[in-house]
Amino acid sequence: MKTLTATLLISCLDRRGIVAKIANFVYDHGGNIVYDDQYTDFSAGLYFNRIEWELDGFTIPRDSIKEAFAEVAAPLEAQWQLHFSDTVPRIAIFVSRQEHCLLDLLWRHKEQEFNAQIPLIISNHPDLEKTAVQFNIDYYHINITKENKLAQEAKELEILQKYQIDLIILAKYMQVLSDRFIDQYPQKLINIHHSFLPAFIGAYPYHQAYQRGVKIIGATSHYVSSELDAGPIIEQDVARVTHRDTVDDLIRKGRDLERIVLARGVRLHLQNRVLAYGNRTVIFE
Amino acid sequence: MKTLTATLLISCLDRRGIVAKIANFVYDHGGNIVYDDQYTDFSAGLYFNRIEWELDGFTIPRDSIKEAFAEVAAPLEAQWQLHFSDTVPRIAIFVSRQEHCLLDLLWRHKEQEFNAQIPLIISNHPDLEKTAVQFNIDYYHINITKENKLAQEAKELEILQKYQIDLIILAKYMQVLSDRFIDQYPQKLINIHHSFLPAFIGAYPYHQAYQRGVKIIGATSHYVSSELDAGPIIEQDVARVTHRDTVDDLIRKGRDLERIVLARGVRLHLQNRVLAYGNRTVIFE
Amino acid sequence: MKTLTATLLISCLDRRGIVAKIANFVYDHGGNIVYDDQYTDFSAGLYFNRIEWELDGFTIPRDSIKEAFAEVAAPLEAQWQLHFSDTVPRIAIFVSRQEHCLLDLLWRHKEQEFNAQIPLIISNHPDLEKTAVQFNIDYYHINITKENKLAQEAKELEILQKYQIDLIILAKYMQVLSDRFIDQYPQKLINIHHSFLPAFIGAYPYHQAYQRGVKIIGATSHYVSSELDAGPIIEQDVARVTHRDTVDDLIRKGRDLERIVLARGVRLHLQNRVLAYGNRTVIFE
Amino acid sequence: MKTLTATLLISCLDRRGIVAKIANFVYDHGGNIVYDDQYTDFSAGLYFNRIEWELDGFTIPRDSIKEAFAEVAAPLEAQWQLHFSDTVPRIAIFVSRQEHCLLDLLWRHKEQEFNAQIPLIISNHPDLEKTAVQFNIDYYHINITKENKLAQEAKELEILQKYQIDLIILAKYMQVLSDRFIDQYPQKLINIHHSFLPAFIGAYPYHQAYQRGVKIIGATSHYVSSELDAGPIIEQDVARVTHRDTVDDLIRKGRDLERIVLARGVRLHLQNRVLAYGNRTVIFE
């Protein structure tokens, strides 16, 4: 199924007839629906829908779909996004010194697991520049101190704009971003946290896990929000540990978790399968 | 969401407009859709749909829905089932000597995990009659030998009919059913097999697993088909084992798997979330 | 291997020759070692050992082993326990209103998963008395209020003494025990907490998990210490959840986790496979 | 604990006093034991032991330990291996066209997860030579046909000898090795099979898994023996799949499993933690 498709991601207050209204928008204009899943959060009274259809045979010209659907969405007071399968989002990866998540993302990209371009890597350290060079990706070393943070972030935002970045991945970027920065990329900033959130928020989660004597460690990929490590969770996974595992063993085992959990989160986002509301996510798998 | 609902489970050849046609059937008659999920198997060219809506406000009288939808389904040449949420299916549990799966099902039933009645237990051994008595369930001891098998199965079929059984659960029933029996309950016969199918088909799977030196064991709940342990899989799960685990340890660890995997399979079936085709299942979760 | 054995659980400061000293104690007196595992926590400088040998052929009379080993242990300043495989520990189960963990423990006991007697159930509610009756176990309903807590706990301690209880299992006992109570049963009080500790400490962990939007829930069995939900963890496990799972679904899925994680913790303890130090445990599997 | 150590891996018929005899060999010569774990397979009557001690202070010169222990081992008719922690085994990786396992191994090697050298890559295809070049590893393209197989294997064996290879990793090498080849590297040939063995032996396991409609897929790392995919299993792991996953999805999800399961197997072997007997393994973790 590599035909050209459009995907709508919609959320609104739950009300009678939404499913049919949206399906009919596609059907009445000759669209062949290839994916349609909806979810209703009854306690919150909210409706969520992901619907994908082939553009081949669809009678509304591609450039007019947005406008046409706006008329359907307006009376529903819906929030919605429209995506086309031939759009290739542009990703910037933020890193510090650890290479494993970065390398893993770049390999997966090479293996075509991600429908995306990765033109930009930004780091507060110079260490990983040679990796960027090897993959022909531009690398910016922008050091961050308490004093220069806001100025440097302004510089980063400028670069992101210049590269027309759609999604930022914090691949073990060991800096807390300012709210001002975060606000520029709502639900377009994915972080990997090396614990099973909400356990072990903040720095040194593996050391915290060791101290607590847990029998299982975890990793969490989530959208970044202004509260530290409290944004909507996209994906989590865990691994068993024993009393024999030192902090170094937790770090080693955790690298595998981090790579996989971050990659799954990124892939779900790129396939337009994630809708966040409050600090929860709906995952249309 | 404990309002009265109707649920359609539909499969047919994939064709343009199916999603909207079915949603419109509900919408045009004032139904409020509370669940709608579809899946297309592109390689097989098949379309699957589960749609559930509230009967409150639905303008087709409950008794006429079947007839009304038949008109929608006919041109699609669809196979379909219609279920109402206040229907309480009647279950018969088949057992031999092991109690754990039976007890687990009865506890879950008591905890209201299953929307069902359990009026009947049939066994080829007398051992578990006291459990049946304790839960006020009728118990039939019908011994099976090579010679009497067909005659005894005929007796069982008669009892099943008398009790108006909708679903048979083989909860560690250590007899192979005849094709004639199986054909009477297509996709209404759920078995638990104590291995990660298709590994270790047939008898003594834990002994086989021990001999093979596996590091993980499993259990599988599946619909029974005429080929042994080859019916459509509903659910599987696994547990780690080590070289220290004896066959007895595998059996003990396996009991937990069997209980959980069987219960999940039964619950999915009772919630009308399973569509089987060939030896595959679509699970609408 | 159902021969009579003795098991030593030892911890002390790590020093040269400990392994051989302890193995020789057994060997020099004709004991056949059937299990010997040691662990050294290098960062803490601590040594842990579990050694089990057959009493058949051991030249020290059973009643003198304790005294004899004391001489080996004294210069090592070791903490140690000696257990015989024909000792059958006596368990008291504390419950409130939920039955699933209690029933599960009783069923496993019947299936001989636990080498133990269960003569006593204590509850702050009358609800589960009929379960106790059914299994022929004495049941004490001891209600707890803010005002009567210490007095009632004194009564409980008296009953526990009278029944010569070796291990207390809190099987969803929804009361916090006083330090005075806890101090009477150091590492002989096992609790099941319905979260992946240290996430969601305290009341309503499933509600907390739902609010946080986690993708995985967990359960933890641990020794009770004076700090709430902070005692040494014996076992943990997890289960996947999705956005579709309501709080009720989390509670239902969690019941399976709680049953299994508690049972595993209890079994490890009864087999003398757990050594706790600080808030960590060594598990000799 | 980065001091120099010796490790003995021993297996023999179970008999009284073995534990003490081996521990005393170390203790009597002033060795500080840092790891000692034993396992007895009572059904087979076999004893297995891994014991590791610091060479610092050990009174037998390093070069004489082998000879000295041979005297202990002879009366036990034991099979045993002696390893020193400063020995760096030399690995050859065999690949075909798929890069993910190879790259993963090389990256882990760079991250120092493996105590080993990797001087050699052999492939029946030219595709991955540039990866070898990039990591400064010699690459031999040795094409295999039905006709030239034995001759080419002879060439490979020659190269392996020249490079003094201690361990061969088949990292998705899509050729069946001859028995003659396998016999040269008993328990020194680790393969990754992309299924949960013994399910789906042979070619196209993901296609087989898709056809069977399983809900979980797996991967297995094992020593290669003359029977296809039947050698002793070192490690296995699994991942959930759904009806939505196509064969391509299984392949993609499987890549993550293969990388991790192979890496774990290799690491366990390199740390001298694996003892194989028959088609089972003892893993000293």
Side-chain angles (χ1 to χ4, degrees), chain A residues 37-39 41 43 196-200 210-216 229-231 233-238 240 243-244 264 279-283, chain C residues 37-39 41 43 196-200 210-216 229-231 233-238 240 243-244 264 279-283:
Chain A
D37 192 10
Q38 61 88 16
Y39 165 66
D41 179 337
S43 65
F196 185 84
L197 286 175
F200 311 129
Y210 181 85
Q211 287 306 325
R212 181 58 191 90
V214 295
K215 299 301 184 189
I216 292 178
D229 297 332
I233 293 170
I234 307 172
E235 172 67 346
Q236 300 189 293
D237 212 340
V238 296
R240 287 219 161 247
H243 60 273
R244 291 197 185 276
R264 283 192 206 139
N279 63 351
R280 296 175 62 78
T281 57
V282 176
I283 308 289
Chain C
D37 192 9
Q38 62 87 14
Y39 165 66
D41 179 337
S43 64
F196 184 83
L197 286 176
F200 310 130
Y210 181 84
Q211 287 307 323
R212 181 58 191 90
V214 296
K215 298 301 184 190
I216 291 178
D229 297 334
I233 292 169
I234 306 172
E235 172 67 349
Q236 301 189 291
D237 212 340
V238 297
R240 288 218 160 248
H243 60 273
R244 290 196 183 279
R264 283 193 206 138
N279 63 351
R280 297 175 62 77
T281 57
V282 176
I283 309 288

Side-chain angles (χ1 to χ4, degrees), chain C residues 135-196:
Chain C
F135 283 84
N136 282 316
I137 301 173
D138 294 351
Y139 187 90
Y140 290 79
H141 168 213
I142 298 180
N143 83 308
I144 306 281
T145 64
K146 227 175 182 169
E147 291 72 31
N148 74 8
K149 184 168 194 153
L150 288 184
Q152 295 291 69
E153 282 194 355
K155 201 184 292 180
E156 289 169 348
L157 287 168
E158 209 173 289
I159 299 169
L160 291 165
Q161 276 228 317
K162 187 182 132 204
Y163 279 81
Q164 297 176 281
I165 293 304
D166 301 297
L167 175 67
I168 302 170
I169 304 173
L170 306 183
K172 305 287 285 179
Y173 181 65
M174 296 317 199
Q175 287 288 328
V176 176
L177 297 169
S178 73
D179 285 4
R180 204 190 48 168
F181 188 105
I182 293 166
D183 291 345
Q184 299 297 309
Y185 288 89
Q187 284 161 39
K188 293 178 179 312
L189 249 167
I190 296 178
N191 183 44
I192 179 72
H193 185 74
H194 39 314
S195 86
F196 184 83

Side-chain angles (χ1 to χ4, degrees), chain D residues 90 138 140 156-165:
Chain D
R90 293 169 65 82
D138 293 352
Y140 290 79
E156 288 169 349
L157 286 168
E158 209 173 289
I159 299 168
L160 291 165
Q161 275 228 318
K162 187 181 130 201
Y163 278 82
Q164 297 177 279
I165 293 304

